[in-house]
Amino acid sequence: MKNFNRTKKILLATLCTVSTLNFPSLTADAKEYRSHTDTNTTIFDYIENRRRQRRQNALTEDQQKLLADIEEAKERLPGAIQEGERVPVAFEGDDMVYNAVTGEFVATGSVDIIQLDGRRFQSNEAHGNLKTQDVVVDGKAHMLQITQDAPRITLDGYNAVYNYGSGIGTMDSAKGKAGEYYVSGKRFEFYPDHVVIHDGSQTRCSAKNPDYSLTAERIEIFPNQIMRMYNVKFLIRGTVVGKKSYTERRLDSDDDFYFPRIGYNSDDGVYVEDTFAFPLLTNVEGILHPYIDSEHGIRSSAEILFNYGNFAATGMYGYYRDGNSNWLRKIPSLNLHYSGKIENLPLNYGVTYEVGKWKNNSVESLHQEIEFALGHDPIIFPGNFYLLLTTSYKITDENVRTEGIGDSRVRGWNYSATFAKEFDEKFAAFLRYEYTKNNSQNSLFDFDLDSFSKKFLTGASYQLTDKDRFVVGLKFDADSGKLEDADYYWYRDLHCSTAILRWRDKRNKFEVHWQFTPW
């Protein structure tokens, strides 16, 4: 071969331009764990999700090595990389052949190609053209991306073709991880503004045979966190439990998971519930909440949701259940909600108005409720101390339709202050004071209410083993000092799902909940 130079290792400093694969940012907000509680132990969910976020943000050994190799390669450059210049690329191989005239190259034996903005290709053999900025791997390829303002990507596949100048490439029979998602597909296509996966799957279950997954003939992932999936199948333990011709979802939404929730409690017996969402019009979707338990049979609900920016309007019809197995029928009800953040301040606000016919047993009423709420962003002090502050003003009007019961109105302020401490990766505790104007003594419906207004709550969480966490939550009537609720939890990690056992000591009730987990 004419004009070819043979060497063990070479550094090519100006031959490739910046390009980003542009996977969306797959953050922890996509699906967070939430517990069942009446003693405010959800604060531990916040702490556990922060811990999970720290674990996910930690660099793997492979990623740390890439960053170290990039720094080493930069030291060998003749000068600093100027903004707008082509990003340098370092090539290493046991044996390399390069034609300086045509730009063609062939590399064999432990080939390592590093683009200094944070990408790596590894294989046993690669070839291409440095002038056209093409790289081709005919066999097995390992790809790693850890670029700024983009999710971390790790893929292992075959027949990789990539052009650094255009940001267009392909890889066959690949699987790996994009952000928090484990992904696979017969063919990946990379474009500057999106990624296409053919005959692909995605899951957050890390098992070789995932407990749950979504598959599709075609998956399109865009930087604005939109995933479009065509001919979708929902699988649990490899069994198809649902199908859809098309679905479009936000990757940072709780609705990204299809899977049912199963459990048992002393009031309702064994239950199965699920949530199905489907588009109706632009910014309008229908939502079904099927619920079946062994004590009451079917008690489901349906909603139509209009969502535009910070505003949402929801029409509701059917049965709704609170944490104490109190049931309420809305036949129907309309909920209007507007929320936002006060500019340049760590304050969030919300306004909610609901009007509709409520029915509980034989009591019916035209229910109206308006609430103005204000909350501070979580205040995090050194040493993993957290302070959460909220307040609201609520007016509740009941125009009773049941003979012998008069109308009622409850209005007043609500507020809370929660102080929590994360002592280490295993132990956390909290204290909370809460005042709610509405209670079961002054309200028509005993739904999601205590019999007292002033509350003192406390609790602790301890991670005994990698798979077992224990939580206790206590609630006191602040006026009398009486212990009103005592909840004890055992969280058992079942790899890609979690079993939660809950003993409600003051109520002498037992619950078991089983749910898929997003990590």
Side-chain angles (χ1 to χ4, degrees), residues 340-349 374-377 389:
K341 188 174 184 65
I342 299 177
E343 190 174 359
N344 300 322
L345 291 175
L347 297 175
N348 305 281
Y349 65 89
L374 183 68
H376 198 289
D377 289 346
L389 303 171

Side-chain angles (χ1 to χ4, degrees), residues 243-261:
K243 295 181 180 180
K244 217 173 188 181
S245 60
Y246 172 80
T247 184
E248 181 175 314
R249 301 170 180 234
R250 286 198 59 85
L251 294 175
D252 57 355
S253 168
D254 285 351
D255 295 335
D256 287 335
F257 287 82
Y258 169 84
F259 311 104
R261 296 169 293 280

